[in-house]
Amino acid sequence: MPIGTRHEIEGLLLERQGELVLDVRGGGTWRLDAGWRARRLLGRRVRVSGTRDGFDLLAVGTIKAL
């Protein structure tokens, strides 16, 4: 997956070492570059849309609870 590609991913929103992380069912995690308001969804399953901005970093456009 090249940097700059758009993605829509579902998973569990967690915080690890001060960063927001999306734990994807079936394996894998994404670090999220999201605003502070996303923290209200910690511990919930969410759908994230955004642009890949690094190896495992997603610049979040939208984040919604499922």
Side-chain angles (χ1 to χ4, degrees):
M1 291 180 270
I3 292 176
T5 54
R6 301 266 313 144
H7 298 274
E8 188 168 304
I9 306 167
E10 293 181 8
L12 181 63
L13 185 63
L14 302 172
E15 184 175 12
R16 292 192 185 137
Q17 299 176 349
E19 288 187 314
L20 291 178
V21 182
L22 186 67
D23 188 34
V24 181
R25 184 177 278 169
T29 58
W30 285 90
R31 293 181 306 123
L32 301 179
D33 180 8
W36 61 271
R37 286 186 170 175
R39 293 185 183 283
R40 66 179 163 52
L41 298 172
L42 280 171
R44 297 182 66 185
R45 292 201 51 78
V46 296
R47 178 178 294 128
V48 176
S49 296
T51 305
R52 185 172 179 214
D53 200 21
F55 174 73
D56 64 346
L57 179 63
L58 197 64
V60 175
T62 61
I63 185 167
K64 296 180 182 179
L66 296 179

